[in-house]
Amino acid sequence: MLYRHLLLPALLLLHTLTTSAQTITLMTSYPQPVVSAFQQAFEEQHPTLQLNVLWRMPFDALPYLLQPQQGGVDVYWTPSQTNYLRLKAAGALAPLKLDRIGLPDHLDQTRLRDIDDTFIASEIAGYGLFINPQRLQQLAVAEPTSWHDLTNPRLRGTVALPVPSAVGYAPMLIDQLLQADGWQQGWNNWQAIAANSQLVDRRGSFVTDKVSTGQAAIGLTMDFFANATIASGADGRFVYPQQTAFNPAHIALMTDSRQPDAARLFIRFVLSKAGQQLLFHPDIRKLPIRPSVYQQAPDNIPNPFGLALDSRYNPAKGLSRRPLTNALFDAAITHNHPALIETSRLLHQASQLAAPEPENNPILQQAYALFHRLPVTEPDATSEILHDFQQREHNPAADARCQTLEQQWQGEFARQYAAAADLARQVIAGEATL
């Protein structure tokens, strides 16, 4: 009888807690291990709150969140700054109104929160090089410290380079060098790097797989892909070039959240010390944006706030021209890769034969000018070509113009590479001397 008297109140209490729990609808693209760690820790800290998780990749998430009342979503959490900017422009994001003590506004010159307080970084990831030390030793190549080190002819065929139109993290990787070196010199450098590269058009982890298995000596990737590969037992090291970019992932409160106070509690938890320390979990391995938690970081997790790197980058500029730069990369590199490799090889051989002053050989300089010629100058905000590429997804006429340009560019690069190769062969054959 006593057992029944004790059991009934316990069941009633459990029913009350279950039925009174508030549900926060979270939309995210993070994988299950990341979400589960945060969900468990948050619900333990707030037993009357529950997370209802909707998984959507960024391209699926945006139309869902642009529905009336944002489709019933309370919190959006994902690495896609483009989506946050579009949602903000549509009035779909509410002011966060958070206590930001201990949360910096910038990493170097990279903004970590929206200036109007509608979204804020929850973690950051840096671009860099995953290297196979044994392969580099075999090639007699020193560990690279800059992107330009990847132009070393000894690396020919041993660099894993992701294609920006196919690999989600790669567009910013490409653009950060265009911004750092300038439009023309940046593309010159990408052509030189691509001449040493195997192109990768699959998911980001495939770059690190190529390096860890020895198919490549160096892979261009993000720190968390490399850290996860190393944690799985693979050989390799990750290095940040002296100049590189960091890409924040953000979190935001939706304007029509049905329970904004509860939703803000989850956002505060993600940004709290307890939440930020979860990013060090072996199944997550991401970089927090709260500097103080790095005191508890594992040895293999660097503190980006303590690195002496040049991480200047304008994400708005990069996002605005991403469709155009992706198309230009495909025309110059992806669709003409074998010709680019062969022409680069011939130019290098001709330069060696024209030493010590290859710059004084007019035929060789003409060959290099053809090799590096771009069909479009750096676009500004008034560029009609830029506007067409920005609008092509929703404007059939703009898309038709873009397709025409892409075909023209691809043909132009093919003809330029062929002409440059012929001139380089003249130098090699001794038909064009100093």
Side-chain angles (χ1 to χ4, degrees):
M1 183 65 68
L2 178 61
Y3 172 79
R4 292 179 60 188
H5 283 304
L6 292 174
L7 179 60
L8 184 58
L11 290 174
L12 289 172
L13 176 61
L14 177 61
H15 176 74
T16 300
L17 289 175
T18 302
T19 56
S20 64
Q22 272 187 290
T23 299
I24 303 167
T25 299
L26 167 70
M27 179 173 284
T28 185
S29 63
Y30 281 113
Q32 181 71 49
V34 177
V35 179
S36 294
F38 279 84
Q39 182 174 13
Q40 180 179 347
F42 174 72
E43 290 179 353
E44 287 178 356
Q45 191 175 110
H46 300 278
T48 62
L49 299 177
Q50 295 179 342
L51 284 184
N52 172 40
V53 182
L54 299 179
W55 273 276
R56 293 286 190 283
M57 295 304 291
F59 61 88
D60 286 329
L62 187 62
Y64 190 103
L65 294 171
L66 290 175
Q67 297 180 88
Q69 289 78 51
Q70 294 89 56
V73 173
D74 298 299
V75 177
Y76 185 43
W77 186 30
T78 198
S80 177
Q81 189 164 0
T82 302
N83 280 10
Y84 288 98
L85 292 173
R86 291 184 180 178
L87 290 168
K88 176 185 174 182
L93 303 182
L96 288 169
K97 301 177 182 178
L98 301 175
D99 180 355
R100 296 198 307 274
I101 294 177
L103 298 172
D105 290 341
H106 297 83
L107 169 61
D108 192 11
Q109 296 187 29
T110 300
R111 288 198 64 87
L112 298 179
R113 70 175 184 90
D114 171 42
I115 193 169
D116 296 317
D117 194 39
T118 62
F119 56 89
I120 189 169
S122 61
E123 50 102 346
I124 47 179
Y127 290 90
L129 307 173
F130 184 52
I131 64 173
N132 185 317
Q134 291 183 335
R135 289 284 280 123
L136 286 181
Q137 187 175 11
Q138 292 168 1
L139 296 167
V141 174
E143 182 177 294
T145 60
S146 73
W147 304 106
H148 308 99
D149 290 341
L150 304 184
T151 65
N152 185 336
R154 290 185 177 181
L155 290 172
R156 192 170 299 277
T158 67
V159 177
L161 173 62
V163 174
S165 61
V167 179
Y169 70 83
M172 185 172 170
L173 165 69
I174 301 302
D175 193 68
Q176 55 89 26
L177 191 57
L178 299 180
Q179 290 195 27
D181 290 352
W183 184 257
Q184 181 66 61
Q185 186 57 47
W187 280 113
N188 293 358
N189 288 329
W190 280 123
Q191 286 177 299
I193 293 171
N196 287 341
S197 295
Q198 312 165 27
L199 299 184
V200 179
D201 60 4
R202 294 173 59 184
R203 65 188 186 280
S205 59
F206 196 66
V207 168
T208 56
D209 290 343
K210 278 185 170 288
V211 175
S212 63
T213 58
Q215 298 174 66
I218 301 172
L220 288 75
T221 189
M222 301 193 81
D223 45 26
F224 64 89
F225 284 126
N227 291 336
T229 302
I230 294 169
S232 68
D235 291 332
R237 279 175 30 79
F238 181 82
V239 296
Y240 294 106
Q242 186 58 41
Q243 176 280 319
T244 193
F246 284 84
N247 189 16
H250 298 93
I251 193 166
L253 172 68
M254 309 311 295
T255 298
D256 292 320
S257 169
R258 295 184 180 91
Q259 44 276 323
D261 291 339
R264 283 191 177 92
L265 280 178
F266 178 71
I267 295 172
R268 289 191 187 102
F269 173 77
V270 169
L271 301 174
S272 69
K273 288 184 179 180
Q276 291 283 286
Q277 287 172 350
L278 289 175
L279 295 170
F280 295 141
H281 190 281
D283 293 334
I284 301 177
R285 297 180 182 275
K286 294 183 180 292
L287 301 180
I289 50 85
R290 185 177 285 275
S292 63
V293 303
Y294 284 95
Q295 297 174 8
Q296 291 80 41
D299 291 339
N300 61 338
I301 300 293
N303 179 358
F305 295 95
L307 297 174
L309 300 175
D310 179 359
S311 60
R312 288 173 292 175
Y313 180 71
N314 183 339
K317 182 178 182 179
L319 289 169
S320 71
R321 66 190 193 184
R322 175 175 294 182
L324 187 150
T325 53
N326 284 359
L328 194 55
F329 185 99
D330 280 341
I333 296 171
T334 310
H335 300 314
N336 280 299
H337 197 223
L340 182 150
I341 291 173
E342 176 62 9
T343 304
S344 176
R345 184 188 68 80
L346 290 169
L347 288 170
H348 176 69
Q349 184 179 354
S351 296
Q352 289 183 312
L353 290 173
E357 297 179 325
E359 66 277 4
N360 292 330
N361 186 313
I363 302 300
L364 183 56
Q365 293 310 302
Q366 183 183 356
Y368 271 109
L370 281 168
F371 183 66
H372 292 310
R373 180 184 295 167
L374 296 173
V376 58
T377 57
E378 182 170 12
D380 59 23
T382 65
S383 168
E384 293 183 5
I385 292 177
L386 179 66
H387 291 166
D388 275 348
F389 275 94
Q390 290 172 341
Q391 299 169 13
R392 68 181 305 181
E393 288 186 14
H394 310 290
N395 184 327
D399 183 52
R401 290 191 292 270
C402 291
Q403 290 187 43
T404 298
L405 282 174
E406 288 171 321
Q407 292 173 0
Q408 290 176 355
W409 294 348
Q410 185 176 337
E412 288 176 24
F413 278 111
R415 290 188 290 273
Q416 290 168 201
Y417 292 163
D422 286 342
L423 292 173
R425 290 189 186 97
Q426 291 181 33
V427 176
I428 294 168
E431 299 173 16
T433 58
L434 290 171

